[in-house]
Amino acid sequence: MEKNINRRDFIKFSGMTGAVLALGFYLPAKGKELLVGNLATQELELSPFILIETSGKITLINPRPDMGQGTFHSIPLLIAEELEVDIDKIEIRPSDGNPKYGAQLSGGSGSVAASWLPMRKAGAAAKEMLIKAAAKKWQVAESECYAKEGKVFNKKNNSSLSYGELVEEAAKLEVPKEPKLKEKKDFKYLGKKSMRVDIPSKVNGTAIFGMDIKVPNMVYAAIEHCPAIWGKVANIDERRARDVKGVKDVVKIKRPVFMKSPECVAVIADNTYAAFQGKKALRITWESAEAEKFNSADYFKKMREMAKTEGNPHENEGDVKAALSKASKTITAEYETPFASHAPMEPEACVVHVKEDSCEIWAPVQSPDTSAFGVGGQVAMAIGMKPEQIKINVVFMGGAFGRKAFYDFVVEAALLSKQVKAPVKVVWTREDDITQGPFRPAMLNAFKGGLDAKGNVTAFQHTIIGGSIQNQWGGMANGKKVDDWAVEAVDKENSPYEIPNFRLDYLHAEPSVPLLWWRSVYSSTNGFAQESFVDELAHAAKKDPMEFRISLLEKAPRFKKVLELLKEKSNWTEKLPKGKAKGVAIVRSFGTICAHVVTVAQKDKEIILEKVVTVIDCGMTVSPDNVKAQTESNIVYGLTAAVKDGITFVNGKAEQSNYNNYKMIRINETPKMEIHIMDNDEKPSGVGEPGLPPLAPALANAIFALTGKRLRTLPFKLEV
Amino acid sequence: MAQYQLLINKKTYTVDVDMQMPLLWVIRDIIGMTGTKFGCGIAQCGACTVHLDGVAMKTCLLPVSAAVGKQITTIEGLGTDKMHPVQQAWIDEQVPQCGYCQSGQIMAATALLAKNPNPSDEEIDVAMQGNICRCGTYQRVRQAIHTAADLMKKETGGEGGKR
Ligand code: FES
Ligand code: FES
């Protein structure tokens, strides 16, 4: 890693001249917590986040790429709040993957949670320095000054100096160690309605996505991947492809997929259409016999067999076996959830230019990191360069949902650019996107529950069976029995139902298709299973599903409050006419608690999803409207996964390939949604995913209340 | 290859392309306007929607030859002097998330409002169901179309000629 980000580098990056107040973060030699440093006075490795120039121009660097979840707006807002500047008057720039910016991944709904304090501290520190500078100029006490709207004011005579005028002086000062942060009641932006700064460019066609990048002398590439994913090219008949007008070349490369590198064939052309036509005209003989052995139906059969065996314990409290044998009623159930595709609206697309001794990337990715796991590191390794030789330009993602934290398409572009010696734009077709994965793991969740004579739950046995994402990097090596990622959202910490005998197990069933984080990951599959089974227990105990949950959450006040508010807002106790019913579910994932009540109605043979009422507890909010938007988004995404299509494999090949057979919820199928945010002073947590997991179980529970039919397999049809 | 004259956003372009090339790729790759998006290539998602003589049309399968002699309007041609009320409403309601589908959504919505200045929720659902939004912004799309309808009424003087 480089030693100092010196002023020269910095000015180069920022394109600035003259004095500048530049603050950023550094990790002290013996510390864990990030401290704020001043670039002008400290010999440090800094990650600048705030730049104020003498002209008064303010630039904030946003290190968390935006995939639609709003970080382009929310992260700078944290700084602006404390710095007392208007978010509309500052320039926001994405970071460029330089390690000096620290973690730059958008994922795990963690951006706001991790940035909440450090970003605010940086803003507050800059403000205090500017105030100090002003006080010095005026020869008054700091307490006589205050900051507002990019200026420091003198309380006595109301005169003011703009931040720009104070930069020179302020840059010479020490950074305060513990700047005073504003109190919640004084927030001007945080927790208030604010307009996202990226939106104007997204209503007039000017926002630039990966698909839109154009650089001089660029060629276009479409890539034919092996239908069974893992394959080698035995033979290519490329004559007809080369006959397509505009096709320039046909090139064989390898797609990096975790530890493997299946082969694929790229058609290079002078526009996208020609590349697509050339791809269609290729005749390739694949060697993929081994991969073709995989059938998802067999995989589920195998998992059903495994469900009969004993799992490997992750959590074990009390004695489930004994409690089950003593129970006056036991119930068992198995839930199945399919492989799923992210299918972001923008298929994978990017441009890479490999030159003699450097490489430039323009890509819509969830992290511009140059570490070995980041896009920069992976490209560097693939083309034999050092991470320092790679320049990364992050552009808007047309949706990602986990998919664009996987960089195969960027590496493909790099390999092609190296071969054809020109900038290459790789454009995946929707068919590439849906058939090639990586996919959300298909899972089976098996339960046994025991109730005593009074209907109290005495035993709860949960076994999670399925593929391990981390094992694709060797995460299950050395005899590890439980994938600690795969048990998320349903362990005791996240699902604190008070049940005396509780056991959570895992069994590893390896599918041969590639797996990846998919919006809320295992929380989506675990949450569906667990919250459906809790509903089964409630019905077995002849209790109201809402009251049943509340009674088990007495010792988890945040959960209980969420359900109590939801009970009120959803009018849970109202008497519904015949042909209508409600269902509830609550899941905590990524630190945020979310619960939905779904109302369904029967219309002839059809079930209509009328309304979703939600309560979400994500602590203090940066932007409440964005919390609502993300939750609406999660409801639609979760609903799509619940009632549309899963990915199924026959002879190693995905049977779904585009939006005609991997269908999406459309506007006419979208229920009314009403989102309520818990008002509290808790630490903020993310909202990009937590609205998703409780949707499918709340819907299935509502359908059970309507029809008496328990739906244990996703996706299901909205039919009676 | 053949030469075509296209009238896009009131400007004439001459292109020399394969006659089968869909209008989408002519607009994006040959002319270089990238507001119109590619999402599926099989007329399922609506990301590629533009107006042909004022009618919303998916362009990913539409051969360029079919667009000759028609007035083509893309997202770039909307609200050039002053923001179109639909665009304003999209900002007011904070509709876009990733934004990728939104050019198509906006083109479909403007075509709807030109025909039906006061659509009901049901009419909106019918007109807009060709446009997928993977980010699930549908509730806001619905709301924004109502907001745009109100803005347009004000503009045309529906409320005492305020503008
Ligand atoms: S790209 Fe044309 S409808 Fe999807
Ligand atoms: S806003 Fe992302 S697909 Fe519609």
Side-chain angles (χ1 to χ4, degrees), chain A residues 431-540:
Chain A
E431 288 78 6
D432 292 318
D433 170 62
I434 292 184
T435 61
Q436 292 296 313
F439 306 93
R440 175 186 74 176
M443 305 297 288
L444 188 148
N445 282 256
F447 296 88
K448 286 193 186 88
L451 300 164
D452 67 14
K454 286 193 217 118
N456 298 314
V457 188
T458 52
F460 195 97
Q461 158 74 50
H462 181 182
T463 309
I464 297 171
I465 306 169
S468 162
I469 295 170
Q470 59 174 303
N471 192 43
Q472 298 169 111
W473 298 282
M476 297 289 284
N478 305 326
K480 190 163 149 187
K481 291 264 168 47
V482 176
D483 180 342
D484 41 338
W485 298 2
V487 295
E488 65 183 6
V490 290
D491 54 350
K492 271 275 163 171
E493 188 198 341
N494 288 294
S495 178
Y497 288 126
E498 218 181 312
I499 297 170
N501 302 289
F502 170 87
R503 187 165 155 177
L504 175 60
D505 292 351
Y506 175 74
L507 282 168
H508 183 198
E510 187 89 21
S512 64
V513 294
L515 306 175
L516 193 65
W517 310 288
W518 176 100
R519 198 173 198 175
S520 83
V521 209
Y522 294 104
S523 300
S524 67
T525 49
N526 292 345
F528 165 65
Q530 167 125 327
E531 276 299 285
S532 297
F533 190 66
V534 167
D535 217 68
E536 295 205 40
L537 289 172
H539 286 285

Side-chain angles (χ1 to χ4, degrees), chain A residues 67-68 202 209 344-346 397-399 401, chain B residues 95-102 105 132-138 141:
Chain A
M67 48 185 147
K202 291 176 176 177
F209 297 87
M345 210 66 222
E346 173 197 38
M397 285 171 263
F401 315 111
Chain B
V95 177
Q97 289 188 21
C98 82
Y100 194 79
C101 72
Q102 299 295 345
Q105 305 276 2
I132 293 174
C133 174
R134 184 59 161 152
C135 298
T137 61
Y138 302 122
V141 165

Side-chain angles (χ1 to χ4, degrees), chain A residues 345 659, chain B residues 24 37-49 58-61 130:
Chain A
M345 210 66 222
Y659 290 138
Chain B
L24 168 68
K37 305 298 188 200
F38 164 66
C40 68
I42 59 165
Q44 282 285 321
C45 75
C48 61
T49 305
K58 295 179 173 126
T59 56
C60 58
L61 289 176

Side-chain angles (χ1 to χ4, degrees), chain A residues 402-414:
Chain A
R403 178 60 182 85
K404 290 170 189 170
F406 192 70
Y407 311 116
D408 52 349
F409 63 108
V410 189
V411 174
E412 287 179 342

Side-chain angles (χ1 to χ4, degrees), chain A residues 258 376 616:
Chain A
F258 303 103
I616 185 163

